[in-house]
Amino acid sequence: MQGTGQEQYVEFGIESEQYAIRIQDIHEIIKMQNITQIPNVMPYVKGVINLRGKIVPVISLRNLFQHDEKEYSKTTRIVVVHHQEDAVGIVVDRVNKVTTFSDIQLPPDCVGGISGSFFTGIGFTDSGLVGILKLDEVLVHE
């Protein structure tokens, strides 16, 4: 796979790991807010929020990628992405920056203990490697 050089991504972190989503897939980034839990959902589904009158489901990338849960901090954010016709919020530890990648390689079968199917590629930056999320896999994971 070759580097895009032109396509922009929003880079964010969970623990010491860095991930990214294409900027055109992101609706907005908001501060953490109260999440209303809903019963009988997968453990990584945290619940729903009311985003200016629209109910938005929220998932925890930390939980999906099997990290221990921790208290939300001042840097915790909800990245609201477009998925098909709906918006979905993804809780992340911090949002780092908007970035481009000099090179993007196909992901291996397993990335740090996480299935490679969650990624469209691995981006190279001056500060290290970044897993580029495949939203169709992350948001419809069963």
Side-chain angles (χ1 to χ4, degrees):
M1 191 177 271
Q2 61 188 356
T4 60
Q6 303 296 319
E7 194 163 30
Q8 292 185 314
Y9 297 83
V10 172
E11 180 186 308
F12 54 89
I14 303 290
E15 294 285 342
S16 62
E17 300 166 358
Q18 307 305 316
Y19 302 99
I21 297 174
R22 294 182 320 159
I23 200 165
Q24 65 262 32
D25 293 331
I26 295 177
H27 177 66
E28 65 183 294
I29 298 168
I30 59 176
K31 289 184 178 178
M32 197 63 202
Q33 56 183 268
N34 289 332
I35 298 174
T36 303
Q37 295 182 348
I38 48 179
N40 303 319
V41 294
M42 301 297 288
Y44 64 90
V45 177
K46 303 306 288 180
V48 294
I49 60 172
N50 183 339
L51 185 62
R52 292 182 294 280
K54 182 174 183 175
I55 302 301
V56 175
V58 176
I59 69 167
S60 168
L61 206 56
R62 170 178 286 280
N63 189 293
L64 181 63
F65 290 168
Q66 300 180 359
H67 289 286
D68 293 332
E69 287 292 327
K70 73 173 200 179
E71 292 288 322
Y72 300 130
S73 71
K74 291 180 1 183
T75 62
T76 303
R77 294 290 183 268
I78 298 174
V79 178
V80 181
V81 299
H82 301 287
H83 183 251
Q84 298 169 352
E85 300 293 317
D86 297 318
V88 178
I90 301 173
V91 178
V92 301
D93 289 355
R94 66 195 168 282
V95 173
N96 299 336
K97 60 186 175 184
V98 174
T99 190
T100 58
F101 297 110
S102 58
D103 187 23
I104 297 174
Q105 298 289 320
L106 290 173
D109 292 339
C110 186
V111 179
I114 302 168
S115 170
S117 66
F118 287 119
F119 303 95
T120 60
I122 304 296
F124 292 76
T125 67
D126 292 339
S127 58
L129 303 177
V130 178
I132 302 170
L133 295 180
K134 184 187 296 182
L135 288 179
D136 286 340
E137 278 296 317
V138 170
L139 299 178
V140 296
H141 178 72
E142 294 182 20

